[in-house]
Amino acid sequence: MLFPTVDFGIFFLIIFSVSWFLRERADSRKLLLLVSSYFFYGYWDWAFCLLLLFNAVVSYGGGLLIDGAGSDRRRKQVLALVVTVDLALLGYFKYAGFFMESLRELFFRIGLERDLPILEIILPVGISFFTFQSISYVVDVYRREIHATRSFSDLALYISFFPQLVAGPIVRAAHFMPQLEATPILTRLMMGKGLFLILIGMFKKMVLANYLATLYVDEIFIAPEQASSFELVMAVYAYAGQIYCDFSGYSDIAIGIAALLGYHFKRNFNQPYRSASLQEFWTRWHISLSQWLRDYLYIPLGGSRGGTVKTYRNLFLTMFLGGLWHGAAMTFVIWGTIHGLALIIERLLKIRRFVEHGLGRIVGVLVTFHIVCLAWIFFRANSLELALAYIEGITLGTTDIYLFTPFVAGLIALCAIGQFVPERSYERCYWTLSKAGTVGMMIIFALGMVAIQQIAPSGTAPFIYFQF
């Protein structure tokens, strides 16, 4: 079930109405949200609900065993088992087909033709996100940052909560589960926040991202050898805008829906293309994933402890594995490698001292943005060969224009302007919207949705991060 559809609109109106009717009955409300979350996920394929349920059972049992273990060794053993099970399932669905195909190709090249099975594995939507939430829960219990919950339904709801189930943001149990115990309150400000974030998220996805994709980006990346250097560069800029609007648009909608249900999620994007360094970029882009990688991968690897060489190794491994998380392909590995090497070079050159103010910051923003765009070429390309052909085409220096139009230029410019409006503009917007009152907010929201529907291209494209 996709957010920008009539089906979801009807689904959410029912859940919104009934959940607030049950606001004084906590157990009934949570059961409603749990069942509706499984219905939402099962709308794609009901079989995957069993995977979601199995994930919750493993995390619940693991948390209780860790909490009740009498020794650190026992706690570590249970933690290792739970994390292994979670990662094994994730690895099977995301990488088994790739490795089987690679093995078949290897056997063919060395003359050992084998009839290996062809694995037709359907990737469950959102498996990476709910797996990461499950791992963070058991790790936090192990670290004694939270106590294991005795309520299976609470944990199952935390893992499956439908607004952020399939594409984030990644929510921590310590932040979300205490909210389940409190009586929800929908203030006028929360309503303004929810409605504004849904509107801006829909505009980003349905208008900006979809137009950039259908009018320009998809055409150029399918056959980069047929485009001029100018159009190739413009298409990278357009893709930078598309993936930001697509992904941050989903996060905005998810956070807005959660707010309308009475729950607070932290912001997941914060104008990342205004960053003056890669380190700053990763504090603004997909913030929940960046923090997850920092807390559950970079720090366990050793973080910045153990000297300079080990710090650089840990940085590189974190970004390398972050790239591999997106998919079993060399393009994603190179994307992660570019970011890892750039972060190391920044530390070696002590870039942060030179990009804090004035001209240095302007140069830092331009350099950082173009490093990110270079990495986006590999992220977007369907194969390593196409990515290399794309870069080769840019170096030719041709300036012919075939697909680039003033409308596309305007879309790119609008994406760029959004990165440099004053910080906390979102907060000012939904505070202003809340002043219109409940009826006024509903009218503004309805008019906004109609306007978006009218100006958006036809069709409903899935969000990019559904594939991860």
Side-chain angles (χ1 to χ4, degrees):
M1 191 182 300
L2 299 174
F3 284 164
T5 60
V6 174
D7 288 355
F8 180 80
I10 295 172
F11 165 82
F12 180 69
L13 282 175
I14 295 172
I15 300 306
F16 175 81
S17 302
V18 179
S19 67
W20 283 109
F21 176 77
L22 298 173
R23 63 185 179 277
E24 299 293 341
R25 300 165 59 183
D27 290 341
S28 298
R29 189 178 204 264
K30 288 187 288 187
L31 181 60
L32 168 73
L33 294 176
L34 177 60
V35 172
S36 62
S37 295
Y38 272 76
F39 176 83
F40 173 84
Y41 195 61
Y43 208 78
W44 279 284
D45 189 334
W46 276 102
F48 291 146
C49 288
L50 297 176
L51 178 64
L52 192 61
L53 180 61
F54 177 77
N55 184 278
V57 170
V58 170
S59 299
Y60 178 73
L64 291 177
L65 289 173
I66 291 171
D67 225 15
S71 66
D72 285 341
R73 180 182 178 184
R74 179 64 174 169
R75 290 163 58 84
K76 287 181 181 179
Q77 289 174 339
V78 176
L79 175 65
L81 178 61
V82 173
V83 172
T84 299
V85 170
D86 283 341
L87 293 181
L89 284 173
L90 180 63
Y92 171 76
F93 283 104
K94 294 195 73 167
Y95 307 112
F98 169 80
F99 285 121
M100 190 64 70
E101 184 62 33
S102 299
L103 188 60
R104 181 183 294 106
E105 184 178 344
L106 175 62
F107 283 159
F108 178 79
R109 289 186 176 184
I110 63 178
L112 298 175
E113 290 82 356
R114 300 283 181 88
D115 291 328
L116 295 175
I118 297 176
L119 297 179
E120 295 290 343
I121 300 174
I122 300 174
L123 181 67
V125 177
I127 185 172
S128 296
F129 293 96
F130 66 73
T131 298
F132 278 13
Q133 290 202 175
S134 301
I135 291 175
S136 71
Y137 168 74
V138 293
V139 172
D140 287 352
V141 171
Y142 171 78
R143 292 174 175 173
R144 294 188 171 91
E145 294 178 4
I146 60 173
H147 289 292
T149 180
R150 267 54 184 174
S151 171
F152 175 76
S153 60
D154 280 9
L155 181 63
L157 177 56
Y158 157 68
I159 292 173
S160 65
F161 191 42
F162 73 87
Q164 43 71 234
L165 172 60
V166 295
I170 302 168
V171 180
R172 304 290 180 87
H175 175 71
F176 180 66
M177 293 184 72
Q179 297 185 59
L180 297 177
E181 300 303 319
T183 301
I185 300 174
L186 183 61
T187 64
R188 187 176 294 178
L189 184 60
M190 283 189 71
M191 186 174 182
K193 173 183 177 179
L195 294 177
F196 170 77
L197 288 177
I198 293 172
L199 272 180
I200 195 67
M202 290 290 189
F203 178 76
K204 284 180 181 179
K205 167 59 181 173
M206 296 177 65
V207 179
L208 297 179
N210 286 0
Y211 269 127
L212 286 170
T214 57
L215 294 182
Y216 199 57
V217 172
D218 292 347
E219 294 288 337
I220 299 295
F221 271 89
I222 286 175
E225 70 281 357
Q226 298 179 14
S228 67
S229 301
F230 172 79
E231 295 228 85
L232 291 171
V233 171
M234 290 298 106
V236 179
Y237 294 162
Y239 182 67
Q242 179 201 343
I243 192 169
Y244 167 75
C245 290
D246 193 286
F247 197 13
S248 71
Y250 182 95
S251 292
D252 288 342
I253 297 168
I255 295 169
I257 291 172
L260 291 180
L261 292 173
Y263 303 110
H264 170 69
F265 287 173
K266 296 179 181 178
R267 189 170 184 176
N268 203 30
F269 287 84
N270 185 19
Q271 300 173 298
Y273 294 138
R274 70 186 298 161
S275 305
S277 66
L278 263 296
Q279 183 177 356
E280 182 184 353
F281 176 82
W282 282 105
T283 65
R284 292 175 175 270
W285 176 273
H286 199 352
I287 298 168
S288 62
L289 176 63
S290 302
Q291 293 177 345
W292 195 97
L293 292 172
R294 178 197 66 197
D295 294 343
Y296 302 105
L297 185 56
Y298 177 68
I299 291 176
L301 284 171
S304 56
R305 306 183 303 275
T308 302
V309 174
K310 289 185 177 180
T311 298
Y312 294 160
R313 178 204 65 186
N314 298 337
L315 267 176
F316 179 80
L317 284 175
T318 298
M319 297 312 303
F320 177 86
L321 293 172
L324 192 60
W325 166 76
H326 285 86
M330 279 302 300
T331 50
F332 293 125
V333 169
I334 293 174
W335 175 81
T337 298
I338 290 172
H339 278 275
L341 291 176
L343 286 167
I344 291 172
I345 292 170
E346 283 184 358
R347 287 196 173 223
L348 281 170
L349 300 179
K350 296 180 170 58
I351 292 295
R352 289 186 65 184
R353 294 188 300 175
F354 301 101
V355 297
E356 292 183 357
H357 306 287
L359 181 61
R361 181 159 186 88
I362 294 173
V363 173
V365 170
L366 290 172
V367 171
T368 300
F369 176 69
H370 284 90
I371 292 172
V372 171
C373 283
L374 172 63
W376 281 144
I377 294 174
F378 292 93
F379 192 94
R380 173 60 180 80
N382 292 328
S383 68
L384 179 59
E385 291 74 20
L386 278 176
L388 295 176
Y390 199 105
I391 294 173
E392 182 181 2
I394 291 176
T395 64
L396 297 178
T398 53
T399 57
D400 297 330
I401 298 177
Y402 302 104
L403 296 175
F404 192 72
T405 64
F407 183 66
V408 172
L411 294 173
I412 296 173
L414 191 57
C415 293
I417 291 170
Q419 300 296 304
F420 295 97
V421 297
E423 295 204 44
R424 301 191 66 80
S425 294
Y426 273 22
E427 288 80 357
R428 295 188 185 96
C429 286
Y430 59 70
W431 181 84
T432 301
L433 179 60
S434 69
K435 296 300 180 183
T438 301
V439 175
M441 284 190 284
M442 295 303 297
I443 293 173
I444 293 170
F445 178 78
L447 292 175
M449 288 299 297
V450 170
I452 291 170
Q453 187 66 42
Q454 291 300 311
I455 63 177
S458 60
T460 303
F463 290 88
I464 291 174
Y465 262 69
F466 278 17
Q467 63 185 297
F468 304 124

